[in-house]
Amino acid sequence: MSVKSLRILVPVKRVIDYAIKPRVNKTQTGVETTGVKFSINPFCDIAVEEAIRIREGTKGLVENIHVVSAGPTKAQDILRQALAKGADNSTLIETGDKEVEPLSVAKLLQKVIEEDNSNLVILGKQAIDDDSGQTGQILAGLLNWPQATNASKVEFKDDKVFVTREIDGGSETVSASLPMIITTDLRLNEPRYVTLPNIMKAKKKPLKKVKPADLNIDIASRLETIKVEEPAKREAGIKVGTVDELIEKLKASGSL
């Protein structure tokens, strides 16, 4: 393998736990977050796992795995979790409880990548809270790096990275040279559990805190949320005894 070393950056996001059903808040400006369990975004967890597996599957190729999150102070929890799994160091970009849009997140990550001299970024294809699915692509555009999205398999051969991704009716494999961006899909791997000894060790690993202003990035929102509502409840279906009855019902409803 002609790739001499990998400096991997893994962005992670703190979101409402995937097992919890979100509820719209009383002011209808967003979802209720008070008293709600938060955890690492599932796709981000897969990205962390993949970075660690790349290290485990190569001999001395990975020089450093750096995890970074933009969010409130409480996002330290998911950074410590990533450190306990095997990441080397971390950065928290303190943005408070403000929801930062994908373009701003990408600009923040660009600064960290330049400072860290990263040559491979692995991140989730989307966050389960807003489902924007844009950060990886915008980041690739800002850096002018090749990208491979929705990865279900990542391989290193010679001087290239080969990424397999699912498409309608099958799969396709794309390749690119470093530096590059990879976004992860659910089928890529199954994240490991964190052990207590590793949690204790993670407390001694570096966790740097910065603010957007320190990176000279303006995170002002460019979009305004007018109103958030629960989806309309579906009406109960009915059973019909014959095809003729089905046709009559469809005609009556205007569907036929």
Side-chain angles (χ1 to χ4, degrees), residues 12-198:
V12 295
K13 186 176 184 181
R14 179 178 180 265
V15 299
I16 293 177
D17 191 86
Y18 73 92
I20 294 175
K21 182 181 178 181
R23 296 179 291 107
V24 176
N25 60 27
K26 293 181 180 179
T27 57
Q28 293 187 308
T29 56
V31 297
E32 184 59 62
T33 58
T34 304
V36 177
K37 180 184 177 183
F38 281 77
S39 60
I40 186 171
N41 177 52
F43 291 100
C44 298
D45 204 10
I46 290 169
V48 173
E49 177 67 25
E50 191 61 23
I52 297 167
R53 290 192 184 194
I54 291 172
R55 166 177 276 167
E56 293 173 343
T58 57
K59 295 182 179 179
L61 180 64
V62 177
E63 181 183 338
N64 188 71
I65 298 174
H66 183 180
V67 289
V68 57
S69 184
T73 303
K74 291 181 179 179
Q76 292 180 82
D77 292 346
I78 64 169
L79 290 174
R80 292 294 183 195
Q81 182 181 343
L83 292 170
K85 291 188 176 188
D88 300 300
N89 47 28
S90 62
T91 298
L92 173 62
I93 305 171
E94 295 181 305
T95 59
D97 294 325
K98 174 184 174 61
E99 185 65 30
V100 186
E101 295 171 0
L103 176 59
S104 297
V105 174
K107 289 180 177 180
L108 293 169
L109 293 176
Q110 181 183 15
K111 291 291 186 179
V112 177
I113 290 166
E114 292 170 351
E115 290 181 4
D116 202 50
N117 199 27
S118 306
N119 59 359
L120 177 62
V121 180
I122 306 176
L123 68 162
K125 70 172 186 177
Q126 66 195 82
I128 62 171
D129 52 0
D130 57 18
D131 274 335
S132 292
Q134 299 171 345
T135 303
Q137 291 89 327
I138 294 174
L139 181 60
L142 292 174
L143 293 167
N144 197 27
W145 286 7
Q147 60 176 307
T149 59
N150 299 12
S152 59
K153 186 177 182 181
V154 177
E155 297 176 288
F156 291 83
K157 297 178 182 178
D158 299 324
D159 61 344
K160 288 184 178 284
V161 184
F162 289 78
V163 176
T164 301
R165 55 200 302 273
E166 294 182 357
I167 58 174
D168 290 343
S171 63
E172 70 174 3
T173 300
V174 297
S175 66
S177 298
L178 296 174
M180 71 177 295
I181 308 285
I182 297 174
T183 69
T184 62
D185 205 351
L186 287 173
R187 298 185 190 275
L188 181 57
N189 61 54
E190 184 175 343
R192 68 194 67 191
Y193 290 101
V194 181
T195 62
L196 183 58
N198 286 337

Side-chain angles (χ1 to χ4, degrees), residues 246-256:
L246 172 61
I247 293 173
E248 289 179 7
K249 293 291 185 182
L250 289 173
K251 286 181 178 179
S253 66
S255 301
L256 190 64

